[in-house]
Amino acid sequence: MHQIVRSPKQLGTLIRRERRERSWTQSHLASMTGLRQEFISKIEAGQEGTKLATIYAIFAALGLELVVEQRNPNQAPSIEDVF
């Protein structure tokens, strides 16, 4: 899977999709990461201000990794990417 994420909302959508693909509940993911279910819900809803260490823990539980690439300067950003 290759997914571009440029906002907290897109990140939350990615986490929700990956969790659901594994048929996990938010509570199950929370127990795998040491977080509360309510916090997983807020992240999936796109809440801003989540610590990077928390995202790393969620990615580890889901078997994902973070890759940083330079943006393609020829690709016009969507309005979501600007704000």
Side-chain angles (χ1 to χ4, degrees), residues 6-69:
R6 293 185 176 150
S7 71
K9 184 167 180 71
Q10 289 174 336
L11 180 64
T13 299
L14 173 111
I15 290 170
R16 178 183 303 114
R17 184 178 62 238
E18 290 296 317
R19 175 182 59 77
R20 287 180 175 170
E21 281 187 16
R22 289 159 180 76
S23 300
W24 291 359
T25 64
Q26 289 180 345
S27 296
H28 180 76
L29 180 56
S31 70
M32 299 276 298
T33 59
L35 301 169
R36 293 189 342 256
Q37 177 274 324
E38 295 85 3
F39 197 63
I40 298 295
S41 176
K42 288 179 181 181
I43 292 169
E44 288 184 359
Q47 177 179 322
E48 295 183 16
T50 303
K51 292 181 181 181
L52 192 53
T54 302
I55 299 302
Y56 284 144
I58 292 171
F59 276 23
L62 292 170
L64 302 174
E65 62 184 357
L66 180 66
V67 176
V68 178
E69 296 179 345

